[in-house]
Amino acid sequence: WDDIMSVSSTPTSNDACLSIVHSLMCHRQGGESESFSKRAIESLVKKLKEKKDELDSLITAITTNGAHPSKCVTIQRTLDGRLQVAGRKGFPHVIYTRLWRWPDLHKNELKHVKYCQFAFDLKCDNVCVNPYHYERVVSPSIGGFHLACVSVGPSVDALVKDEFDAQPSHSAADGGHSIQTIQHTASSSAPHDAFNSPALLPPADSTSSASSSAFTTPDYWCSIAYFEMDIQVGETFKVPSNCPVVTVDGYVDPSGGDRFCLGQLSNVHRTEAIERARLHIGKGVQLECKGEGDVWVHCLSDHAVFVQSYYLDREAGRAPGDAVHKIYPSAYIKVFDLRQCHRQMQQQAATAQAAAAAQAAAVAGNIPGPGSVGGIAPAISLSAAAGIGVDDLRRLCILRMSFVKGWGPDYPRQSIKETPCWIEIHLHRALQLLDEVLHTMPVADPQPLD
């Protein structure tokens, strides 16, 4: 009865925060945990307590499921555009739209309605978080694809201006100027793990396998190459599929099976600094393959490890290759999602193909209007899209991880190739899927235009 009462006797902005929160909680979509939802809703209601008309707008919008037109519901824009709730950061309009409308929403799928005056993309000082002021745009076709997954970006000037936009930005490979270190501690990844919440799982209609066809499990689920600065040291270590958990540590035992020991590898070019860093690898990391090919990392070392992961970039609202993730000792965190990688490679291959076709048409003198270039948004130039090669797609199937030392603007080292000891992990199931994608959509390696 209580629930029926609270829904039927809709509160107003004059009611106590507690009863407003209780009423709004009854309308959540269940993608997030109860505690996270409550924190997010409490935080919003408190911010709106002084803006009674906006709070009433929110209550009306949520309790009527958007049946009545409602006004903007605004909170102040933060410096980096993201909002922190219960130790997790995300774009505010995405958090609340996920909460009350689409639990499986991805941040690049939102488009504001015309009458919304404070929409996130308008970059006002205040941001509208009314979930009914945004529409969901989902389209696998190129016309509806926002190119959020393409690591080629605007000029540096545009990058600075759009630093907090959800536009693609420079990949780490070309010395990205806004690479940021994002921290993951043991407490932030357990017990309710932000990176494993139902809101981020794929839609229910997707099959359990990332690809629709039956597949043969590769003999090895990954291969690991160890580097010191830009030199590979020792042989590449392959991990059999019957060893889903592999440990990479700094000890001198012989490597084999589910253990890759870096301590016993020699390198004539090794410097004193590398030697010192290697002493701190210690118990290293555990890599775990779950399901068909998702990957989790457990940091067993007493020192943090630094990871390049497109999955974590996306979860943190960054462009691919635009962040370095610092994983603290004893943190256990998901770093790779096979389905997301598969979707990303399909989108990039389709983008490259459409751009190459449009470019060929342009070269042949059949130049379409500026708005009709395969539906490609102006955020990416034609030549950049046509320049997506097989290497760019392969990069989606690779993880890189540095022990002890980080890189990026917070550190003296600009790229992982300047760190003393790091590993590159090739994920074989993902590479298998890439082969399938390239069979259906061949991507030519970029050709220079004469």
Side-chain angles (χ1 to χ4, degrees):
W1 273 106
D2 282 346
D3 274 356
I4 294 170
M5 283 299 294
S6 65
V7 174
S8 57
S9 55
T10 305
T12 70
S13 56
N14 296 318
D15 285 290
C17 282
L18 204 63
S19 60
I20 297 173
V21 170
H22 180 75
S23 173
L24 295 176
M25 278 288 282
C26 295
H27 291 270
R28 67 195 182 92
Q29 293 298 307
E32 293 289 1
S33 70
E34 188 166 354
S35 59
F36 177 85
S37 306
K38 197 168 180 199
R39 294 274 289 276
I41 295 172
E42 276 171 354
S43 143
L44 180 57
V45 170
K46 280 179 187 158
K47 285 177 181 146
L48 297 172
K49 222 27 191 154
E50 302 305 308
K51 302 193 274 190
K52 290 193 181 305
D53 57 334
E54 295 193 20
L55 184 49
D56 279 324
S57 270
L58 176 71
I59 295 167
T60 303
I62 302 307
T63 56
T64 66
N65 295 330
H68 299 292
S70 50
K71 290 196 293 217
C72 284
V73 175
T74 63
I75 59 172
Q76 199 170 359
R77 182 184 288 269
T78 58
L79 195 61
D80 73 348
R82 295 181 300 156
L83 179 70
Q84 182 148 345
V85 177
R88 288 165 50 184
K89 276 194 154 190
F91 293 124
H93 62 313
V94 176
I95 290 176
Y96 292 109
T97 308
R98 261 187 201 154
L99 201 63
W100 282 308
R101 293 192 72 185
W102 302 292
D104 61 342
L105 176 79
H106 178 251
K107 67 181 172 60
N108 291 314
E109 293 176 345
L110 281 186
K111 191 174 126 208
H112 62 89
V113 295
K114 287 196 174 62
Y115 52 84
C116 182
Q117 296 173 293
F118 295 96
F120 182 80
D121 292 342
L122 299 178
K123 300 206 170 59
C124 308
D125 289 341
N126 288 328
V127 179
C128 177
V129 294
N130 183 338
Y132 291 94
H133 276 203
Y134 294 90
E135 289 167 350
R136 189 173 187 178
V137 190
V138 191
S139 166
S141 73
I142 226 165
F145 176 38
H146 294 278
L147 300 177
C149 308
V150 183
S151 322
V152 284
S155 66
V156 177
D157 297 345
L159 191 66
V160 174
K161 190 170 87 249
D162 276 337
E163 194 176 357
F164 303 119
D165 196 355
Q167 292 296 344
S169 77
H170 280 267
S171 64
D174 54 26
H177 293 255
S178 68
I179 291 182
Q180 176 191 339
T181 308
I182 295 171
Q183 309 191 332
H184 304 275
T185 58
S187 57
S188 73
S189 57
H192 176 73
D193 185 72
F195 305 93
N196 193 25
S197 70
L200 307 171
L201 290 176
D205 62 351
S206 55
T207 52
S208 58
S209 163
S211 65
S212 48
S213 56
F215 69 97
T216 32
T217 307
D219 295 340
Y220 301 95
W221 71 265
C222 77
S223 47
I224 306 169
Y226 168 66
F227 292 83
E228 292 176 1
M229 311 289 276
D230 58 353
I231 295 170
Q232 182 174 347
V233 177
E235 298 289 312
T236 298
F237 183 81
K238 291 183 171 182
V239 186
S241 287
N242 60 4
C243 294
V245 179
V246 60
T247 306
V248 183
D249 61 36
Y251 300 125
V252 294
D253 303 338
S255 297
D258 61 354
R259 191 164 169 218
F260 185 18
C261 297
L262 306 176
Q264 39 97 16
L265 299 175
S266 55
N267 172 13
V268 293
H269 302 286
R270 189 171 291 154
T271 62
E272 222 174 298
I274 295 174
E275 199 66 78
R276 272 199 310 275
R278 277 169 52 83
L279 293 175
H280 293 295
I281 296 172
K283 293 179 182 170
V285 293
Q286 257 182 356
L287 303 168
E288 182 176 358
C289 180
K290 288 191 177 185
E292 194 185 332
D294 293 356
V295 180
W296 292 65
V297 165
H298 190 184
C299 180
L300 306 175
S301 172
D302 294 335
H303 294 265
V305 293
F306 297 81
V307 177
Q308 186 179 54
S309 151
Y310 288 172
Y311 170 75
L312 287 179
D313 292 344
R314 179 170 166 150
E315 296 314 301
R318 307 290 297 187
D322 203 19
V324 177
H325 300 270
K326 183 175 186 178
I327 299 182
Y328 282 85
S330 44
Y332 175 64
I333 198 166
K334 183 176 182 178
V335 292
F336 180 80
D337 183 288
L338 186 70
R339 270 183 209 154
Q340 182 202 302
C341 175
H342 190 215
R343 277 199 301 270
Q344 225 170 335
M345 56 176 80
Q346 285 172 316
Q347 288 173 328
Q348 285 205 20
T351 304
Q353 226 179 17
Q359 213 178 35
V363 170
N366 173 18
I367 300 177
S372 61
V373 184
I376 291 177
I380 178 171
S381 71
L382 243 194
S383 56
I388 296 170
V390 177
D391 279 353
D392 298 286
L393 296 172
R394 281 181 68 82
R395 215 167 283 147
L396 298 173
C397 312
I398 294 170
L399 291 166
R400 287 173 156 190
M401 184 182 304
S402 164
F403 294 96
V404 190
K405 300 291 183 185
W407 77 96
D410 303 336
Y411 298 92
R413 298 161 292 278
Q414 283 314 294
S415 103
I416 196 168
K417 292 183 176 178
E418 294 169 36
T419 62
C421 36
W422 59 281
I423 54 176
E424 184 170 88
I425 304 142
H426 289 239
L427 302 170
H428 294 194
R429 176 65 189 129
L431 289 162
Q432 220 178 20
L433 285 174
L434 178 58
D435 276 350
E436 282 180 27
V437 169
L438 292 173
H439 271 297
T440 52
M441 282 185 282
V443 171
D445 271 318
Q447 296 299 320
L449 283 175
D450 297 331

